[in-house]
Amino acid sequence: MVTTRARSRARLPVLVALPDEVMLLIFSHLKASNSASVLGVCHIWNDLVAQVCHDKLRSERAQLWDGMVHRPRLWLKARMSIDELSQRVGHKPQHSWRHEWTALQVSMMRSHFGDTLSTEQLHYYEGLCKPGGKLSIEMAEKDFRTSSAWKVQAGWDQEQAVGYTLITAAFKPYLCRAFQQRSRELAASSHLLADALARQAWRLSEPAPSCYAGLTGLHGLVGNDNSWAVLQEQQLAIGSSFVTSAFVETSANSTCLRKDGFNLPLNSYGRIVHHLQDTDVVHFVSEPTDNDGFHSLIPTCLNEHELEYDLPAPATITLRSISDSWLTDDGTMMRRRVFTVGVTYMVA
């Protein structure tokens, strides 16, 4: 008996009519970006490319697979995101993010002190990063144990919970720089952040609530990633988009919006303290996942002190509206611009 698929093949060009096993082998050698160009050739190729993506993701991201919905186009985009990250910062190395801890701390010191940092001072700070030192991982873990513990209780892998919490606490600008400059120095840290948020993104059951971040000022979006400076342009049109290079931390706590600006929540030695910033505010609106990608921020710490939702990088930001004021929860009017944006990203 000749199947409908077999009869269809008989009318196709030679390459298309090759057996599935041969086509799967051919497609398995294509880069994800090249695979995207063959999706529209025919239904047969579309199914075969989906199968290749299925198999590769299941092999490369086994820890994610239980949460992955059946969306072949998302599978392909997930593979493309893996390729892009590897092209930017290198493939995932054998060593862990802990091996890069000193490099992260030194990057921060050089940012603060510039060329005035002497060799002796550099060696001194490197010593502080060793186990037991004031800048060691062990000391940092104590300060951020609440946030790490929440992640573990929410189903995060223990090592990803600790690494993600400590790296994003202070080092986002340096990871952004490594991404933009295609540096391999922080590859393990970059891959850990991507892996951690990918695992949570695929398991999102509903979009995040409205979230907020300061555009400038202390830990402002522009300071971590200059891509956000486009929002400061005078003639920026609604619907304009740009792509970020750094992970973003936001708060869903609307009390961050004050009459005089953005009340930035910060972890200070294990306590959440607020610092009022004279800055415009970015309002993030999340939506459900679709075939174009993910559109929701990801919860990274939700307790009585923090309502933190984060955004992976790279992400496409689309401007939806600009308001010259904002009515806060206590009924007062915040006289600062508020940029409402939507997000799209892909992770794996």
Side-chain angles (χ1 to χ4, degrees):
M1 179 179 178
V2 180
T3 65
T4 302
R5 184 157 178 167
R7 286 196 298 270
S8 298
R9 286 187 180 282
R11 298 190 296 269
L12 293 173
V14 174
L15 180 60
V16 184
L18 289 173
D20 286 356
E21 295 78 9
V22 177
M23 295 306 299
L24 284 171
L25 180 61
I26 294 172
F27 289 150
S28 69
H29 289 283
L30 291 179
K31 292 182 178 179
S33 56
N34 294 330
S35 297
S37 64
V38 304
L39 280 178
V41 173
C42 63
H43 290 300
I44 294 174
W45 279 24
N46 187 84
D47 292 344
L48 293 175
V49 169
Q51 182 65 47
V52 170
C53 292
H54 171 282
D55 294 343
K56 283 184 173 289
L57 284 174
R58 193 158 195 169
S59 171
E60 298 169 359
R61 293 292 191 270
Q63 76 279 12
L64 294 178
W65 193 253
D66 289 342
M68 285 188 171
V69 294
H70 185 81
R71 281 187 171 144
R73 287 190 176 274
L74 275 189
W75 295 346
L76 177 58
K77 290 182 179 182
R79 284 195 58 221
M80 292 172 68
S81 75
I82 296 173
D83 288 350
E84 180 177 7
L85 182 62
S86 296
Q87 290 168 8
R88 289 280 190 167
V89 302
H91 294 288
K92 186 186 296 185
Q94 293 296 318
H95 64 261
S96 80
W97 65 275
R98 294 174 182 269
H99 181 80
E100 297 171 356
W101 183 253
T102 298
L104 287 165
Q105 292 284 5
V106 169
S107 295
M108 184 166 63
M109 294 304 167
R110 282 179 171 155
S111 176
H112 289 331
F113 299 107
D115 296 334
T116 63
L117 191 65
S118 67
T119 302
E120 291 77 12
Q121 290 173 317
L122 183 60
H123 290 325
Y124 171 74
Y125 285 119
E126 289 175 343
L128 294 179
C129 297
K130 294 179 179 179
K134 291 183 178 180
L135 299 179
S136 66
I137 292 175
E138 294 78 12
M139 294 299 292
E141 282 186 84
K142 293 179 181 179
D143 292 339
F144 293 93
R145 66 166 66 91
T146 301
S147 182
S148 297
W150 181 90
K151 293 178 177 65
V152 173
Q153 291 175 0
W156 288 52
D157 171 80
Q158 173 75 33
E159 187 67 0
Q160 287 186 345
V162 173
Y164 184 91
T165 301
L166 300 192
I167 293 169
T168 57
F171 305 114
K172 290 188 293 296
Y174 317 113
L175 292 172
C176 176
R177 188 180 306 152
F179 184 85
Q180 292 174 335
Q181 298 177 354
R182 298 179 181 272
S183 169
R184 271 51 177 168
E185 185 180 20
L186 303 176
S189 300
S190 298
H191 277 281
L192 178 132
L193 298 192
D195 290 353
L197 285 191
R199 189 170 187 176
Q200 304 311 312
W202 282 97
R203 295 177 176 179
L204 282 174
S205 58
E206 59 183 9
S210 289
C211 297
Y212 309 91
L215 184 60
T216 57
L218 183 63
H219 296 295
L221 296 172
V222 173
N224 288 330
D225 178 3
N226 197 51
S227 302
W228 289 93
V230 69
L231 293 182
Q232 297 173 307
E233 296 178 4
Q234 295 298 317
Q235 302 300 320
L236 188 63
I238 303 301
S240 299
S241 296
F242 61 95
V243 179
T244 63
S245 297
F247 286 72
V248 171
E249 292 181 63
T250 73
S251 176
N253 190 340
S254 58
T255 60
C256 289
L257 302 178
R258 296 294 190 187
K259 178 181 179 180
D260 299 320
F262 183 68
N263 210 21
L264 173 70
L266 281 179
N267 188 315
S268 177
Y269 300 103
R271 290 190 310 112
I272 300 300
V273 295
H274 290 81
H275 296 266
L276 186 62
Q277 304 295 302
D278 183 9
T279 175
D280 292 334
V281 174
V282 177
H283 169 216
F284 294 83
V285 176
S286 293
E287 294 179 338
T289 302
D290 59 24
N291 284 330
D292 291 327
F294 296 100
H295 307 287
S296 174
L297 276 67
I298 300 168
T300 54
C301 188
L302 307 179
N303 57 37
E304 60 180 324
H305 304 294
E306 294 182 85
L307 292 175
E308 183 180 322
Y309 289 80
D310 292 359
L311 177 67
T316 299
I317 309 299
T318 302
L319 181 63
R320 295 188 172 181
S321 67
I322 305 175
S323 302
D324 291 327
S325 60
W326 193 269
L327 188 64
T328 64
D329 281 358
D330 61 7
T332 60
M333 192 64 69
M334 183 180 71
R335 300 295 182 183
R336 294 291 184 277
R337 287 189 301 173
V338 177
F339 300 89
T340 297
V341 302
V343 305
T344 301
Y345 62 90
M346 193 60 241
V347 287

